[in-house]
Structure formats: C-alpha cells, structure tokens
Amino acid sequence: MTTATAGGAQAVPPADKRPPERAGGRRSVTGTRGAVAAVFLLPALVLLGALVLYPIGYSVYRSFFDQAGTGFAGLDNYTALFTDDTIRTAVKNNAIWVVFAPTISTALGLIFAVLTERIRWGTAFKLIVFMPMAISMLAAGIIFRLVYDQAPERGVANAVVVGVHDTFAESSGFPKAHPLPVHPLKAGGGGSFVTKEPVRAGEPVHLPLVGVAPAKMPGDAEPAKDPAPSPDGKITGTAWLDFTRGGGGRPDVVDPKELGLKGITVEAVRDGKVVATTTAGADGVFTLPASADGAQLRLPASNFREPYNGVDWLGPALVTPGIIGSYVWMWAGFAMVLIAAGLAGLPRELLEAARVDGANEWQVFRRITVPMLSPVLVVVLVTLMINVLKVFDLVFIIAPGSSQDDANVLALQLYRSSFGTDADLGVGSAIAVLLLLLVVPMMLVNIRRIRKEGRR
C-alpha cells in the first residue's frame, strides 16, 4: 500500500507489522504497554525511594531540629557547621583533600599511563599499580597505620628515614647514660659530664657510667681494663659501664664482667677550652697527651644524644598529608587505567605528524596528548573529588586517637556526631545535607560530561 506525497509515492507498512498503539493513539517504540512497563519498574522505584529518597528527605527534615528531635532549631545546626572548631577543622581538611588528593592521583595516573605505553612490561607495571584497588579501605588503613608507625623497627616509613639520616649523621652510642653520685663525675651542663677534680699524669682516671642496658652496648665491646700509668706524662683512663649483670659488682671499680664504653668521646678542658680529645677503645681504655695534665676531663653531650627516631607521621602536623598519601597509593591505579583507555583511543597520526614536524616528546605531550585527553582527565578528576568528599575509612583507621581531631573530615564528623558518646542527630543530619550539596554539583558535571562524550 502506498500514499501520495509531494515527492511521489511512499510505502506504508502492513497493519500486522505496525507497533501497537498506546492509550491516546501514541505508539510504543518497544511495543510494550505503559502499564506493563510501570509494573516492572515499580520494584526498582520502591527500592530507590526507600533507600535513597526517603533517607535524604528525612535527613533534611531532621537537620532543622535540636538534639532531642522535639524542638525546632531552625538554622542553628547549619550555623554550628561553621562555628564549632571541630567541624570547622573537618571542613578545612575536606578542602585540602578535594584539592590535593584527586589532583595528585590524576597526575600520577597520567604519568604512569603515558610512560608505560611503549615499554614491553607496561601491562605488568599497570597491574601492580592497580592492585591496591583490590584492597578494601579498611585493609589499606591497617597497612598504612603500620607503615607510619613511629618505631623504626616496625614502621617502614621511619625505617627508611632513619636509615638515610644515620647514613649522613652519626648517632649517639650511649643515650641516657649517666654517673652515680659516688662516681668521680658530675653534671657539666648541656647534657655533658665532667670530672670533679683535675686529672694528673701518672694517676689513671676512672670514668664509670650507668644507665645503658647491656643489650644496647656495642657488639664488639670488650671487658673493661684498668689502665696502666703512662711513663711519659700522658693521661690514661678507662670509661666503662659500671654494672655487673646478675649483681655482685662494686661502684667505681672495674669488675671482670663489666664492659668498656667503646667509642665514647673524652675531652680535656682547661679554662673552658678543649685542649685534647680522644675516644675509648673496645675495652674502654683511652689516652690523652701530656697537655691534658691538670685539666678536667669531660664526656660531651654528643655521647648521650637520643637516637633519631624518624618523623612523627601521625602527629598533628603530618597526619592529613600522610593519610592522603595512602589514598593516592590506592587510587592512582584507578586513574591510570581510565587514562590509559583514553590514551589508546587517540589518533596516532596526529602524534606522528607532530613528531615529523619537529616537536619533541614534551611538546607532543603538553600540546597534543593532554588537550585531547582533557575529557577523560576531567571525568577522572571529578570522580575522585566525589570520592574524597566521602572518605571515612582511611581517616578513622590510620589517625590515632591523639590526632584524630586534627585529621577530622566531614564523613568522620558525621559518624561522630550521629553515633558518638554525645550524639546530636540534628548536627549529624546537617553535615549529611552539606555533603549532599557538595557532591551533587560534581555528579551533575560528571554526568553532563559523560553524556556529551557519548553523543560524539
């Protein structure tokens, strides 16, 4: 059957092949009645309303009531978000998270994707970088709580820092060592110790100390020896640990089981000036030149300096950057995979044409690769921004109780305000609404960008 038109005849499909009409004469594209479609969509709509729309609506409603939920509070709960010091810290930290965590993760993902594009083992490298995504936030938090442990023997970060520090700076051998009141030493100021009387040639000097655990002594320390008087006017003496394991030792006497303080520095001081310096041997014996005769001997404070224990990663100053580092470790792989997928779709002829025209790799990357990847970069960046606004697990697990207030974020404060010991559901609901208001614009930007790319 045909119908006449201005351009001639037009075929009309047979009646048995036409899509069924909807109520009101409109045809359904899929041939499905509207009522049947509504029945199938109803369960999903019910779940959406029960699990999403109702909680959102109730949170908005509850945010206008007081802690008990019986009195109308108006905007007081929202005012508290910007006047309470704890919540203001959470808002400030969230701003830091939104600026740095997505930016660093996206930048690293871009670098990894570009650098591994041409190497043979690039796929294996990408797999390794992406593997942290398979770990839950809880597990990652536990891992980095151990990584940032203050003790170098447990925390990997401080083990590296202490190792590098001790490579370039000599550490003290006898921290917390000190003399007993019966010893011939006294405090010399600034953490040093000096002899109570000037020393004389031909009279061996005893410099006993206590306060060093035998297990902390140098491994090659030998049993201390009494020095023999020097016939040429030199000053001789012994510095040793005046402690006998198991008891039985005598103060200020070199006993057979007591060890020498190997490497301890001894200075001869006269009129406030150092006239001679030496170090003790493995058996604690030391010798000073004749110029030290009549001077006082000093054990400088450098012998007793506390060992360097690294950085306080989880202290108030560094806890937020430290937790952001753990987040980047997890999510840089996510950014890398998405950017690598976008990179694989770039037209290679444009890149090769730029190289033929004389552009170096940096110019190709900056002027061609990055601009053409900008849609993907924006999607990744916005997705990570939405993600960091909701970050909770890492902060809750990694930050110790002493610095949790300094690392506080809105999601953690939402939990503390809603379920803590002094719960205030009004403030907690206000925080939830604030998070929603921050997330929704970013979601809209992301959805709009994805739809725009889909229409290309």
Side-chain angles (χ1 to χ4, degrees):
M1 181 178 178
T2 60
T3 58
T5 62
Q10 180 179 359
V12 178
D16 58 342
K17 294 185 178 180
R18 299 177 189 173
E21 295 184 357
R22 292 183 181 178
R26 297 180 61 188
R27 299 180 185 276
S28 170
V29 176
T30 60
T32 305
R33 294 180 181 274
V36 175
V39 169
F40 280 100
L41 289 174
L42 185 60
L45 293 176
V46 171
L47 287 175
L48 181 66
L51 300 179
V52 178
L53 298 181
Y54 172 75
I56 292 175
Y58 182 76
S59 295
V60 174
Y61 168 80
R62 184 66 178 82
S63 67
F64 292 104
F65 286 82
D66 58 13
Q67 183 175 5
T70 56
F72 184 75
L75 297 176
D76 291 348
N77 293 325
Y78 291 95
T79 304
L81 301 183
F82 304 98
T83 56
D84 184 271
D85 290 339
T86 303
I87 302 178
R88 287 169 59 188
T89 300
V91 173
K92 181 192 71 174
N93 286 339
N94 256 111
I96 295 173
W97 272 86
V98 168
V99 172
F100 290 100
T103 304
I104 297 173
S105 299
T106 304
L108 287 178
L110 175 62
I111 293 171
F112 291 155
V114 171
L115 293 183
T116 58
E117 185 185 21
R118 297 184 181 183
I119 57 178
R120 296 177 59 185
W121 46 271
T123 302
F125 178 83
K126 291 177 183 177
L127 177 63
I128 294 172
V129 175
F130 188 75
M131 280 179 63
M133 283 295 300
I135 303 174
S136 68
M137 286 280 199
L138 175 64
I142 294 173
I143 290 171
F144 274 86
R145 180 66 180 267
L146 296 175
V147 168
Y148 292 138
D149 196 291
Q150 180 66 41
E153 60 269 18
R154 293 193 302 269
V156 175
N158 268 342
V160 174
V161 172
V162 171
V164 173
H165 175 273
D166 290 349
T167 300
F168 299 98
E170 185 178 355
S171 59
S172 168
F174 309 101
K176 298 183 180 179
H178 60 276
L180 293 174
V182 297
H183 287 160
L185 288 167
K186 63 180 180 179
S192 65
F193 300 102
V194 298
T195 54
K196 296 176 181 177
E197 301 292 338
V199 296
R200 299 297 178 185
E203 299 178 4
V205 183
H206 284 176
L207 301 179
L209 294 174
V210 295
V212 183
K216 298 292 185 179
M217 291 289 290
D220 53 352
E222 298 177 358
K225 296 180 181 178
D226 263 320
S230 175
D232 51 2
K234 294 181 179 179
I235 303 296
T236 58
T238 302
W240 82 99
L241 179 64
D242 194 11
F243 173 79
T244 301
R245 183 178 293 182
R250 294 165 295 170
D252 201 18
V253 175
V254 179
D255 294 302
K257 295 183 179 179
E258 295 174 349
L259 298 176
L261 297 174
K262 180 187 176 183
I264 194 168
T265 301
V266 182
E267 298 175 341
V269 181
R270 182 185 289 111
D271 298 327
K273 296 181 180 180
V274 178
V275 296
T277 302
T278 188
T279 55
D283 55 2
V285 176
F286 61 88
T287 302
L288 289 164
S291 59
D293 187 20
Q296 286 182 292
L297 299 192
R298 180 174 67 186
L299 300 178
S302 58
N303 291 311
F304 316 111
R305 186 175 54 246
E306 289 288 340
Y308 181 69
N309 287 322
V311 179
D312 188 8
W313 297 104
L314 299 181
L318 294 178
V319 62
T320 295
I323 300 174
I324 290 177
S326 67
Y327 179 90
V328 171
W329 175 77
M330 287 191 67
W331 287 89
F334 168 82
M336 177 195 65
V337 169
L338 293 186
I339 295 171
L343 193 62
L346 294 184
R348 300 298 163 175
E349 58 271 14
L350 293 179
L351 304 179
E352 294 303 325
R355 294 186 180 100
V356 170
D357 288 341
N360 56 37
E361 291 301 322
W362 169 246
Q363 291 173 326
V364 172
F365 173 76
R366 184 167 61 91
R367 297 182 177 275
I368 299 178
T369 303
V370 172
M372 295 185 69
L373 281 176
S374 59
V376 178
L377 296 177
V378 170
V379 170
V380 172
L381 190 64
V382 174
T383 301
L384 293 180
M385 284 181 176
I386 296 172
N387 186 267
V388 299
L389 281 173
K390 303 179 293 181
V391 68
F392 165 80
D393 318 59
L394 290 177
V395 181
F396 185 73
I397 297 299
I398 296 177
S402 59
S403 59
Q404 198 167 87
D405 284 344
D406 299 286
N408 199 14
V409 290
L410 285 174
L412 177 59
Q413 186 59 40
L414 169 61
Y415 168 79
R416 295 166 70 178
S417 295
S418 302
F419 306 104
T421 55
D422 190 22
D424 187 339
L425 290 178
V427 175
S429 299
I431 295 174
V433 174
L434 175 62
L435 278 174
L436 177 66
L437 294 177
L438 293 174
V439 169
V440 167
M442 297 183 186
M443 291 179 60
L444 295 178
V445 170
N446 229 8
I447 293 172
R448 182 178 179 184
R449 173 68 65 174
I450 292 173
R451 286 180 177 177
K452 184 178 179 180
E453 290 301 313
R455 289 195 295 266
R456 290 187 176 182

